[in-house]
Structures are given as structure tokens and as C-alpha cells.
């Protein structure tokens, strides 16, 4: 078990390491302006400064733990993740019941589907002007934009999940004497979960993309805000450090959601990762 | 012997583009309490249609079906169905699948647990209790499906080619198990198959259906002691006769298919 894992790690690390070495070389040779492309070393130093607390530790001011997480990067990350979570929850909580209803009731589907088909292709970013008009600045417009980004993937997948439930399960449940509501709760809902969860995964991914954009316009902290702020000061090393932080958080969220999916769908056939 | 299932003048017509298919025509059958009946015929002879009508999934276009004197108008737990595709709920464990019918009925937890345990040991599956269906072989899945309908203690078992997807050895051991359960619990069984051997091995009575329109071609009582020996002379004589009857219908089926190819 251990060896193939190490080997996979080595294979995965090879290309980034080569790129890093090339990047450092280009910078060390002075072939590029350091404001345009800072060296990997400079980025690493800046990243550490971004992460580290701004003030030296002072026992009178509070606990050590509070001090340790008082760095800008951590505050920004908490801000961004909070918005992702709230926006996603708002979007999903609206999308899930509507999707279940549209999937289960053809009449409801016919009422809502045309409208949804028109609204769905509008990227959340196009709502930015409206979101500011409606919600002003701060968290509300950001959460609104993220909710829109999360709403449609969850909705569309929920509808598909309910509509794709294999008829044989419905027949078996009816044969066992199940009522419509029992069939809905205990057959349709679990049968649709693989679809719903893949909608959740896409929805969270979208939420994470939208949060960065939303922070560039409406709020004064968060990872998206920070890289835009760094641009104002020409801190390209901080821009790159912020971008890499965004990448790592995105990866962590996706791995987490995928782990959760695997646990919830442990009964599901053909789920290998 | 008292009659349990009565099929009276049943017709079933399906609309198809540009016409209709008469799947069943004037079917009359009386099935006694405790009888094991096989419906035999090539595909398209309406044997599954008849079973679905008794199950209440697709009611006849005309005619009536009663079970225990009660007219059938919907599916119900008094007629447990075992499907060829198992139809186990993949998100439920073996034990949860078996318990589901009793939970729907609102049985007390203690009774549900006791019934599940009894059925698990009856079918030799105690150690599979917590497994999900995806981790079971076809034979084990079909055992769970049988246990699921036995849990409701329905007097009638409807089986739609339940062993059709299994390999020969698994099939034989499930056939033996089914016979044992049937004898022990005194169920009335309607068993759809296109396997002549299977029908002779299992049934008290074999009803051969014709290809479209589906009618009763022959209704044969099998008077051989169980366990039946597929090498015996009586077995093979019946097999030859049934083979002839079924092949006539199979040829009509194929001829119709060819004709369909040229006219469509």
C-alpha cells in the first residue's frame, strides 16, 4: 500500500518541482522584473508574513490561540468560507424543495421549467450591479451572488435525480404496500441522492468561484478582496500567495465534500473514489 | 382444495403506434390455495402481463381477477412479488430491505426484528444482515428479495422469472429453497418462466400460453413426487411434450417478428 502511494506522490510532485526550479531560475537570472513575476522564494516569504500574526505575542491581550490565528490570511479565509457556507446554504435550501417538487410533479415542472431555462444561463457575475442596488455593500450582496451560483446546480441535479428513479423500485415499494408519502421519503429521496449530492458538489464549487468575484466588489476582507488590494500596491508576491491559498482551500473543500459523498453513498454501486 | 385466485375472462390490450396488441385474450384460470403454478411460454406470450395483472400493476382491459374473493384493483402486500431484477433497495442493508414491508405496515419494532432474524436464518443469510445489495451475489440478492415478501406473510407469491439471471447451479439451489419454503409455509405461487425444465422441476401445474394473442394453450398437472429427477423417463416425456408446445409458439413469435420487420 505504502509504496504506490509514495510513487503517486512523487509523480504528482515532479512537474510542479520542475516548474518551481525554472521559475526560480528565471527570477534569479534577472530576466524578468520582480514586480511582474516575483521569485518563488519571495512568494513563500510573503505567504508566511500573510499567515503570521501582525502583532508580537502579548499575554495580557488574550490567549495564545487567539493570537496565533490573528493573521490576515486566517481572517480572510474565515471571511471567505463563511460567505461560501451561507451563500451555499441559502441557495441549496431554496433549490432542494423546488427541485424535489419539480421532479415529482410534472405540473410544477411545466410551470417553472421555462423560466428556469432562461435564468440558468445568466452567470452570477451578471447579477453584480443588481446585487449592489438591492443589498448595498458588505456580506448580503456577496451571499446573494453565491446563493445564485449554488442554486442552479443543486436544482437541476435534484430534478434529474427524482425523474431518473428506476421504476422497478417504485413497483417494489407499491407491492409492499407503501403509500405515496412513504415512497417519496424512503424510495425517491434516497434513490435521488447520488444526483443531488453531485449537484451539491458542483454547487459548492461554483460558490467558491463566485465568492472571490463577490469579494472584489462588495466587501473589505476575504481572499478575493486581498488579492485585489495587493494589486493596488503592486504586491505581486502577495497576489500569488493569495491565489495559491484560494487554490488550496478549493481543493480542501472539494476533497471534504467528496469524502462526505462517499460516506453517504457507501451503498452505491460504481463509486470508486 | 379451495380456489384462491380466480381469473375470469381476462383480456389485456396495449395500444401501439398504428394499432394495438392483444396481449391476453379470454384467460380463465382457477388457482387453488397452496398450489404451485408455472406460467410457461416464449417471450411475448403475455405471461408477465398476466402476472402483473394479478399483482395489480397493470389491470386487465376487461374481465376480473379475484384473490380470496376480493377483486384486484391495486398492488398490495397480500400478493408479494419477486422480480427478475431483484428490485432490492440499494440504499438499505439486507435487514432493512426485509424489514421495510413491516415498517410500512406499522408493525412494532420487536416484531419486525424477530421476523427479520427468523427469515435471515431460514434463508441462511444471518451473516449478511448488514451488507448492502451491491456486495451480494445474484443468488443472495434473490434470497433477500424472497425474504422481503415473506416478511409480510402474504398468502400469494408472484414470481416473474426470478431465477432467470442466475447461473445454473445457483438457480438449482434457489429452486430447492423455494420448494422448501413453499411446502413449509403453504404459500400459493404463480411463477413465470420460459424454462421448460424449471417449470417441470417446480410446478404442480404448468399453464402454457400462446404467442399473441395470449391464450391458455394447455393446462397440465404434474403428478411426479418431489424432489423430481430431471433424468427420469416421466420428466423427459413431459419435457418433450412441453418442448413441442412451446416451440410452436416460439415459431409463431419468430414469424411475427420477421413479418414485423418487413411491414414496419
Amino acid at each position: 500500500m505504502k509504496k504506490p502511494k509514495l510513487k503517486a506522490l512523487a509523480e504528482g510532485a515532479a512537474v510542479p518541482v520542475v516548474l518551481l526550479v525554472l521559475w526560480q531560475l528565471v527570477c534569479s537570472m534577472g530576466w524578468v522584473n520582480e514586480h511582474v513575476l516575483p521569485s518563488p522564494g519571495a512568494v513563500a516569504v510573503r505567504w508566511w508574513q500573510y499567515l503570521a500574526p501582525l502583532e508580537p505575542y502579548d499575554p495580557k491581550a488574550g490567549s495564545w490561540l487567539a493570537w496565533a490565528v490573528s493573521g490576515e490570511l486566517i481572517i480572510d479565509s474565515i471571511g471567505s468560507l463563511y460567505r461560501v457556507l451561507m451563500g451555499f446554504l441559502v441557495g441549496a435550501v431554496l433549490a432542494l424543495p423546488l427541485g424535489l417538487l419539480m421532479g415529482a410533479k410534472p405540473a410544477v415542472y411545466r410551470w417553472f421549467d421555462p423560466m428556469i431555462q432562461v435564468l440558468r444561463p445568466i452567470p452570477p457575475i451578471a447579477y453584480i450591479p443588481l446585487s449592489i442596488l438591492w443589498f448595498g455593500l458588505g456580506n448580503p450582496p456577496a451571499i446573494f451572488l453565491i446563493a445564485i451560483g449554488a442554486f442552479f446546480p443543486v436544482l437541476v441535479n435534484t430534478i434529474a435525480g427524482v425523474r431518473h428513479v428506476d421504476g422497478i423500485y417504485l413497483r417494489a415499494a407499491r407491492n409492499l404496500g407503501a403509500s405515496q408519502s412513504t415512497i417519496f421519503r424512503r424510495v425517491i429521496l434516497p434513490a435521488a441522492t447520488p444526483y443531488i449530492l453531485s449537484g451539491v458538489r458542483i454547487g459548492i464549487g461554483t460558490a467558491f468561484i463566485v465568492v472571490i468575484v463577490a469579494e472584489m466588489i462588495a466587501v473589505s476582507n476575504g481572499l478575493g478582496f486581498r488579492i485585489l488590494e495587493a494589486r493596488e500596491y503592486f504586491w505581486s508576491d502577495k497576489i500569488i500567495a493569495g491565489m495559491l491559498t484560494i487554490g488550496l482551500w478549493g481543493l480542501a473543500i472539494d476533497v471534504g465534500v467528496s469524502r462526505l459523498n462517499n460516506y453517504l453513498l457507501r451503498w452505491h454501486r460504481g463509486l470508486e473514489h | 382444495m379451495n380456489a384462491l385466485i380466480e381469473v375470469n375472462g381476462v383480456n389485456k390490450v396495449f395500444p401501439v403506434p398504428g394499432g394495438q396488441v392483444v396481449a391476453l385474450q379470454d384467460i380463465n384460470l382457477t388457482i387453488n390455495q397452496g398450489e404451485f403454478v408455472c406460467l410457461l411460454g416464449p417471450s411475448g406470450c403475455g405471461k408477465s402481463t398476466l402476472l402483473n395483472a394479478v399483482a395489480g400493476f397493470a389491470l386487465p382491459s376487461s374481465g376480473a381477477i379475484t384473490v380470496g374473493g376480493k377483486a384486484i384493483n391495486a398492488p398490495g402486500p397480500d400478493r408479494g412479488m419477486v422480480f427478475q431484477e431483484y428490485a432490492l433497495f440499494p440504499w438499505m442493508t439486507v435487514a432493512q430491505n426485509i424489514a421495510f414491508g413491516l415498517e410500512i405496515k406499522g408493525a412494532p419494532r420487536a416484531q419486525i426484528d424477530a421476523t427479520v432474524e427468523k427469515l435471515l436464518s431460514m434463508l441462511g443469510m444471518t451473516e449478511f444482515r448488514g451488507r448492502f445489495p451491491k456486495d451480494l451475489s445474484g443468488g443472495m440478492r434473490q434470497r433477500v428479495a424472497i425474504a422481503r415478501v415473506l416478511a409480510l406473510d402474504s398468502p400469494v407469491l408472484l414470481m416473474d422469472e426470478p431465477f432467470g439471471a442466475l447461473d445454473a447451479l445457483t438457480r438449482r439451489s434457489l429452486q430447492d429453497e423455494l420448494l422448501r419454503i413453499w411446502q413449509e409455509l403453504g404459500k400459493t405461487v404463480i411463477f413465470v418462466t420460459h424454462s421448460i425444465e424449471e417449470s417441470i422441476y417446480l410446478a404442480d401445474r404448468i399453464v402454457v400460453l400462446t404467442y399473441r394473442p395470449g391464450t391458455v394453450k394447455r393446462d397440465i398437472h404434474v403428478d411426479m413426487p418431489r424432489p423430481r429427477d430431471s433424468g427420469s423417463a416421466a420428466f423427459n416425456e413431459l419435457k418433450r411434450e412441453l418442448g413441442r408446445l412451446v416451440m410452436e409458439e416460439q415459431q409463431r413469435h419468430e414469424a411475427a417478428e420477421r413479418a414485423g420487420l418487413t411491414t414496419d
Side-chain angles (χ1 to χ4, degrees):
Chain A
M1 270 322 271
K2 207 155 181 186
K3 257 196 175 152
K5 229 176 181 177
L6 268 176
K7 191 165 172 256
L9 203 68
E11 282 173 353
V15 173
V17 165
V18 169
L19 282 178
L20 272 175
V21 168
L22 279 177
W23 177 8
Q24 182 67 54
L25 203 72
V26 166
C27 295
S28 306
M29 304 297 279
W31 291 342
V32 288
N33 183 332
E34 63 173 330
H35 291 297
V36 175
L37 184 67
S39 75
V43 170
V45 168
R46 198 51 184 255
W47 206 347
W48 173 250
Q49 288 169 352
Y50 184 20
L51 173 69
L54 296 172
E55 315 285 334
Y57 177 52
D58 174 10
K60 274 174 272 167
S63 75
W64 185 85
L65 189 71
W67 171 81
V69 297
S70 68
E72 215 180 13
L73 182 144
I74 293 169
I75 304 290
D76 284 341
S77 295
I78 292 171
S80 294
L81 292 177
Y82 170 78
R83 289 178 198 110
V84 167
L85 189 71
M86 292 310 289
F88 173 78
L89 281 179
V90 171
V93 161
L94 294 173
L96 194 65
L98 181 62
L100 292 173
L101 217 62
M102 286 179 68
K105 304 271 181 216
V108 180
Y109 183 82
R110 287 194 301 272
W111 298 335
F112 282 94
D113 186 58
M115 183 180 76
I116 283 163
Q117 294 309 330
V118 174
L119 294 181
R120 193 164 67 110
I122 303 174
I125 293 156
Y127 285 89
I128 285 176
L130 262 191
S131 74
I132 293 171
L133 273 178
W134 288 354
F135 297 101
L137 293 175
N139 271 340
I143 289 173
F144 169 74
L145 293 173
I146 295 160
I148 287 176
F151 177 81
F152 287 103
V154 175
L155 178 76
V156 170
N157 275 272
T158 305
I159 296 171
V162 174
R163 288 167 77 104
H164 281 90
V165 174
D166 194 335
I168 192 90
Y169 300 138
L170 305 180
R171 296 211 302 156
R174 285 169 69 206
N175 182 252
L176 294 170
S179 63
Q180 284 304 317
S181 73
T182 305
I183 289 179
F184 186 77
R185 270 186 310 112
R186 300 211 46 196
V187 178
I188 293 178
L189 211 53
T193 30
Y195 279 87
I196 295 174
L197 288 178
S198 83
V200 163
R201 194 170 169 184
I202 300 169
I204 289 185
T206 313
F208 200 73
I209 294 169
V210 176
V211 73
I212 302 303
V213 179
E215 284 171 349
M216 289 180 169
I217 49 120
V219 291
S220 55
N221 66 22
L223 298 165
F225 168 80
R226 202 60 64 197
I227 60 176
L228 206 67
E229 183 199 51
R231 188 197 62 110
E232 313 262 317
Y233 297 101
F234 254 102
W235 291 337
S236 36
D237 44 7
K238 194 166 182 183
I239 295 177
I240 294 173
M243 287 171 65
L244 290 173
T245 309
I246 292 169
L248 289 177
W249 273 120
L251 174 68
I253 290 173
D254 195 59
V255 168
V257 174
S258 150
R259 288 259 169 90
L260 181 70
N261 281 9
N262 284 359
Y263 175 73
L264 291 174
L265 298 180
R266 61 200 179 283
W267 52 270
H268 198 248
R269 185 202 281 274
L271 200 88
E272 301 303 338
H273 48 89
Chain B
M1 294 262 254
N2 34 0
L4 181 66
I5 302 170
E6 303 252 22
V7 178
N8 286 318
V10 161
N11 292 285
K12 180 74 185 177
V13 180
F14 289 112
V16 290
Q20 56 183 35
V21 166
V22 182
L24 298 173
Q25 191 174 63
D26 194 30
I27 303 278
N28 292 288
L29 277 176
T30 300
I31 295 171
N32 289 325
Q33 160 97 54
E35 207 168 17
F36 197 128
V37 177
C38 273
L39 301 179
L40 180 67
S43 43
C45 74
K47 52 196 194 300
S48 290
T49 308
L50 181 54
L51 196 75
N52 279 322
V54 178
F57 287 128
L59 299 176
S61 312
S62 64
I65 300 174
T66 62
V67 173
K70 232 180 66 201
I72 297 304
N73 48 31
D78 58 324
R79 286 149 286 138
M81 181 99 163
V82 177
F83 304 87
Q84 178 176 1
E85 322 69 329
Y86 317 119
L88 295 177
F89 303 114
W91 52 89
M92 296 185 194
T93 62
V94 165
Q96 287 167 340
N97 264 288
I98 299 173
F100 188 44
L102 287 169
E103 284 169 4
I104 291 168
K105 227 168 96 180
R109 195 71 239 175
Q111 188 202 326
I112 295 176
D113 291 343
T115 308
V116 169
E117 279 315 304
K118 197 186 78 191
L119 287 166
L120 284 173
S121 74
M122 185 178 195
L123 288 152
M125 295 186 306
T126 320
E127 65 271 38
F128 295 107
R129 175 190 293 116
R131 296 259 190 106
F132 286 105
K134 73 171 167 92
D135 299 323
L136 299 179
S137 67
M140 278 299 163
R141 280 181 209 180
Q142 205 53 292
R143 281 188 179 87
V144 179
I146 292 170
R148 185 169 68 177
V149 299
L150 290 179
L152 288 165
D153 203 20
S154 42
V156 177
L157 289 188
L158 304 176
M159 311 190 80
D160 193 1
E161 303 199 31
F163 307 147
L166 305 176
D167 67 86
L169 295 175
T170 310
R171 184 178 241 228
R172 173 49 54 91
S173 84
L174 270 145
Q175 287 165 346
D176 287 334
E177 221 154 328
L178 176 63
L179 285 173
R180 182 169 63 78
I181 290 164
W182 165 71
Q183 281 163 339
E184 204 174 304
L185 303 178
K187 304 286 182 193
T188 307
V189 180
I190 306 182
F191 188 108
V192 164
T193 181
H194 57 244
S195 158
I196 294 164
E197 279 223 31
E198 183 169 51
S199 70
I200 304 174
Y201 191 73
L202 293 173
D204 290 327
R205 189 175 152 198
I206 300 169
V207 176
V208 182
L209 297 178
T210 59
Y211 178 76
R212 283 171 199 168
T215 59
V216 175
K217 187 179 175 88
R218 284 287 282 280
D219 190 343
I220 299 169
H221 284 264
V222 185
D223 271 332
M224 279 181 251
R226 293 188 177 91
R228 289 173 181 160
D229 173 8
S230 56
S232 73
F235 195 106
N236 282 290
E237 195 183 321
L238 185 54
K239 192 171 153 185
R240 258 194 302 280
E241 189 188 347
L242 284 169
R244 191 177 50 75
L245 293 170
V246 172
M247 275 320 286
E248 282 173 14
E249 297 310 314
Q250 175 65 18
Q251 272 150 17
R252 289 185 51 213
H253 177 194
E254 283 169 16
E257 254 190 334
R258 282 195 203 94
L261 277 181
T262 54
T263 53
D264 272 355

